[in-house]
Amino acid sequence: MEKNNHKKHNVYISEEENILKWEDVQNLFKNTFGNEVYSSWLQKISLIKEFNDYLVLGVPTRFFRDWIVSRYLDKILEQVKSAKPSLNRIEFKIIEENKNNSDLIKIDELNKVSEIKDSILNYNRLNPNLNFDNFIQGKSNDIALSYSKKICEHLSRYNPLYICGGVGLGKTHLLNAIGLELQGENNVMFISAERFMYHFIKSIKKNDMVNFKDFFRKSSVFIIDDIQFIRGKESLQEEFFHTFNSLIEKGSQIIISADRTPMKLDRVQERIKSRLAGGLVVDIDIPDLELKVKIIRKKLTEIESQFKESINLSDEVINYVANESKASIRELIGILNRVIAFSRVHNKVLNLADCKNILKDVFSQIKVITVDKIQNVVSNYYNIPLSDMLSQRRSRPLARPRQVAMYLAKKMTSRSLPEIGRRFANRDHTTVIHAVKTITRLSEQDDEMKKNINQIKDLLQEQ
Ligand code: ADP
Ligand code: MG
């Protein structure tokens, strides 16, 4: 029952008289913190459970929690207290971003949608923070950026404009910037392909396709994000195709983003692919070091002017952060935020060692640990030659490290026992089992062993 309520309204309905209306609290947040901070942070907090004197709030990630706690906790508490005075504490729960959760969000949206127009207006909001002014130019996005700007000066010269690139490289940012630039004088529609489908299905169910078609086809600038979402969805492709054609016919500008080029969109009808490729296709590449450093510096000045506080990060730390995030600007910003949040919590200027420490968790999630790596680190740690560690010799100074390496291989990689055995000079899987058992027992009983294992794990994370 409780769960159901939660799912339907995203607000826990308590038995008590004083029920906190999360929507009201969110409005308070919006007023207190302003739209920018609200939409990037506080809006993403959900109410999980309400008690008389405290609340359990849901946040998407650990970093998010740290950030919120370090910056806004006092004010958040003040606001919820004003809505319900008996509250004196807040707990945060990290909601895993798993499938169930996204279902939950969808169900939620479903309940909110009353009439197509209202609902689309709700989702058609452009984010004022994602504009051209704060989109930093670099070699990897130069062409995409310059054509995005050109589109705004001369509508319909390149139609559609198709921007492609991997996740977190700035596609949505650019699309949003185009929308902001054009919205004054045009009827701009900005929607993700996923939302487009959602409204499409909703309209079919409600027998309201006429409204749906009208609504999308009357825009003069139609911006659709992440078109790869239509892959494999036949009826959606059909509808998209017709929307696309009628928009082009009446001279509307179409801007599309995707994670790949039109021709690489498998399970998409050929006629759609050729329409998508029929205008101008530009791509965004992985950022180089120079761009990453520029983005970090820009973010720092933004934060400084927004929060009126100075954040001192040395060139060394900036370079480290830039170098550590390899594939995406979203990741880069996430890492940077984490560093800043900690420097703020601990109220100190971070040196490189602090920074490495803070980020250990972040990187361990993306680091791949292999059996090879484990063997190398362990043999170095115990100062024995790798060939001796892998040999058949059974002397204690070799056998222990060998067992430790097997144990870590089992714990830290997804290799099976026989596979691990093979990597240790073709040993039997029962030898590996024995090693795992021995080291598990020793690391529980023997402080020295426990310490060694932890140090080796740390070394592995640093590699
Ligand atoms: P995508 O849609 O390609 O997955 P986003 O547009 O969501 O990526 O970008 C991820 C994050 O990186 C956003 O916060 C965005 O503002 C930021 N970002 C990406 N490229 C740039 C850039 N060139 N300058 C400033 N911020 C950028
Ligand atoms: Mg995007």
Side-chain angles (χ1 to χ4, degrees):
M1 175 64 192
E2 181 179 304
K3 228 181 169 175
N4 264 340
N5 278 337
H6 178 82
K7 274 204 164 177
K8 268 194 181 149
H9 308 291
N10 203 18
V11 172
Y12 170 75
I13 308 292
S14 99
E15 307 278 276
E16 293 153 57
E17 273 186 2
N18 198 351
I19 298 168
L20 199 59
K21 272 229 190 106
W22 194 239
E23 266 176 48
D24 294 348
V25 176
Q26 289 275 5
N27 280 331
L28 287 174
F29 286 167
K30 204 186 292 174
N31 294 336
T32 319
F33 294 97
N35 258 336
E36 267 181 28
V37 174
Y38 174 73
S39 61
S40 38
W41 297 101
L42 296 138
Q43 193 175 24
K44 295 177 184 135
I45 303 179
S46 59
L47 177 62
I48 294 185
K49 196 150 181 162
E50 178 183 348
F51 295 91
N52 198 32
D53 58 341
Y54 75 102
L55 294 179
V56 184
L57 302 182
V59 289
T61 58
R62 209 147 62 94
F63 163 68
F64 191 103
R65 181 200 59 199
D66 296 342
W67 182 263
I68 292 283
V69 169
S70 69
R71 282 177 183 261
Y72 309 121
L73 185 61
D74 292 348
K75 277 197 179 159
I76 291 176
L77 190 60
E78 206 176 283
Q79 296 308 312
V80 295
K81 258 175 113 64
S82 75
K84 182 177 169 183
S86 61
L87 291 170
N88 55 29
R89 185 159 62 88
I90 293 174
E91 278 181 12
F92 289 95
K93 187 168 187 292
I94 292 143
I95 305 170
E96 295 289 324
E97 287 163 280
N98 56 20
K99 210 174 155 288
N100 285 343
N101 199 32
S102 62
D103 283 352
L104 195 143
I105 292 163
K106 276 186 200 130
I107 291 167
D108 228 71
E109 283 167 6
L110 214 90
N111 281 296
K112 276 191 218 146
V113 176
S114 51
E115 213 213 336
I116 181 145
K117 199 169 161 188
D118 289 348
S119 64
I120 291 172
L121 285 177
N122 266 335
Y123 296 126
N124 194 26
R125 282 201 204 111
L126 291 159
N127 180 342
N129 299 321
L130 302 177
N131 51 44
F132 281 130
D133 286 342
N134 61 20
F135 189 88
I136 317 286
Q137 180 178 10
K139 286 196 193 84
S140 53
N141 60 31
D142 200 17
I143 292 174
L145 175 62
S146 74
Y147 281 101
S148 297
K149 287 184 171 167
K150 272 195 192 128
I151 283 285
C152 298
E153 286 161 23
H154 302 280
L155 283 175
S156 305
R157 181 177 286 185
Y158 309 102
N159 211 2
L161 174 67
Y162 185 102
I163 302 175
C164 55
V167 283
L169 296 184
K171 301 182 297 295
T172 302
H173 190 139
L174 271 185
L175 257 49
N176 199 96
I178 296 173
L180 288 173
E181 195 70 24
L182 293 175
Q183 71 177 349
E185 284 153 30
N186 302 277
N187 184 352
V188 175
M189 168 64 59
F190 174 60
I191 194 164
S192 70
E194 189 175 2
R195 289 242 154 89
F196 183 76
M197 178 179 88
Y198 169 75
H199 292 299
F200 171 57
I201 291 173
K202 188 80 193 147
S203 305
I204 294 175
K205 282 192 186 147
K206 290 182 77 183
N207 224 341
D208 199 14
M209 279 310 288
V210 178
N211 249 331
F212 176 89
K213 286 181 200 291
D214 275 5
F215 194 81
F216 284 103
R217 291 175 195 187
K218 73 169 191 262
S219 55
S220 61
V221 174
F222 184 70
I223 307 175
I224 186 157
D225 202 2
D226 290 322
I227 197 72
Q228 72 275 2
F229 185 81
I230 68 173
R231 287 159 61 231
K233 303 184 175 75
E234 278 300 320
S235 56
L236 181 65
Q237 289 182 21
E238 203 64 35
E239 187 55 39
F240 175 74
F241 184 72
H242 294 305
T243 305
F244 186 100
N245 287 343
S246 66
L247 284 168
I248 292 279
E249 244 165 55
K250 74 187 250 293
S252 301
Q253 172 71 49
I254 300 178
I255 303 119
I256 296 163
S257 83
D259 66 352
R260 62 198 85 187
T261 60
M263 288 312 156
K264 289 211 175 112
L265 289 168
D266 54 317
R267 294 182 294 138
V268 168
Q269 298 169 8
E270 286 303 321
R271 55 179 191 166
I272 293 184
K273 289 199 237 185
S274 67
R275 287 282 196 293
L276 295 178
L280 179 70
V281 177
V282 290
D283 72 342
I284 308 184
D285 215 336
I286 289 171
D288 57 12
L289 185 66
E290 192 187 333
L291 176 59
K292 289 190 282 189
V293 169
K294 267 204 227 165
I295 289 176
I296 295 176
R297 295 199 187 283
K298 169 85 175 177
K299 287 276 156 202
L300 290 175
T301 34
E302 267 175 31
I303 293 173
E304 284 176 359
S305 68
Q306 197 180 344
F307 298 104
K308 308 274 177 287
E309 67 177 280
S310 77
I311 297 161
N312 285 318
L313 293 187
S314 65
D315 288 354
E316 197 184 28
V317 167
I318 290 178
N319 269 317
Y320 179 77
V321 169
N323 265 315
E324 282 301 323
S325 65
K326 300 282 184 270
S328 127
I329 294 175
R330 181 174 301 137
E331 181 193 65
L332 175 76
I333 294 172
I335 292 173
L336 177 66
N337 283 341
R338 199 177 167 98
V339 170
I340 295 170
F342 274 79
S343 109
R344 199 166 181 279
V345 171
H346 300 291
N347 204 7
K348 66 184 273 199
V349 179
L350 298 175
N351 60 33
L352 195 59
D354 295 327
C355 180
K356 283 184 180 170
N357 222 2
I358 292 163
L359 297 179
K360 215 157 56 186
D361 287 353
V362 181
F363 298 138
S364 65
Q365 290 162 14
I366 40 184
K367 284 237 155 87
V368 183
I369 293 185
T370 60
V371 178
D372 276 351
K373 209 185 227 175
I374 293 173
Q375 292 175 336
N376 279 313
V377 169
V378 172
S379 64
N380 272 336
Y381 182 83
Y382 288 104
N383 212 4
I384 51 173
L386 181 61
S387 54
D388 285 3
M389 191 179 86
L390 298 180
S391 72
Q392 300 296 337
R393 286 160 54 196
R394 293 182 179 194
S395 66
R396 175 60 75 88
L398 296 179
R400 270 289 180 269
R402 185 182 295 138
Q403 287 180 320
V404 167
M406 287 181 183
Y407 164 87
L408 291 170
K410 181 65 201 140
K411 297 280 170 196
M412 300 179 83
T413 74
S414 55
R415 300 266 165 229
S416 67
L417 294 166
E419 276 178 286
I420 295 171
R422 273 197 292 280
R423 306 294 287 275
F424 284 80
N426 258 331
R427 285 178 162 79
D428 191 57
H429 75 279
T430 51
T431 312
V432 185
I433 295 177
H434 178 67
V436 173
K437 277 191 183 151
T438 310
I439 302 301
T440 306
R441 179 170 46 79
L442 285 177
S443 62
E444 279 160 15
Q445 294 166 355
D446 177 352
D447 284 345
E448 186 63 18
M449 179 58 91
K450 192 192 238 163
K451 199 181 88 198
N452 292 347
I453 297 277
N454 283 334
Q455 281 172 347
I456 295 170
K457 279 186 179 164
D458 283 348
L459 287 170
L460 281 164
Q461 303 291 8
E462 278 167 24
Q463 290 282 302

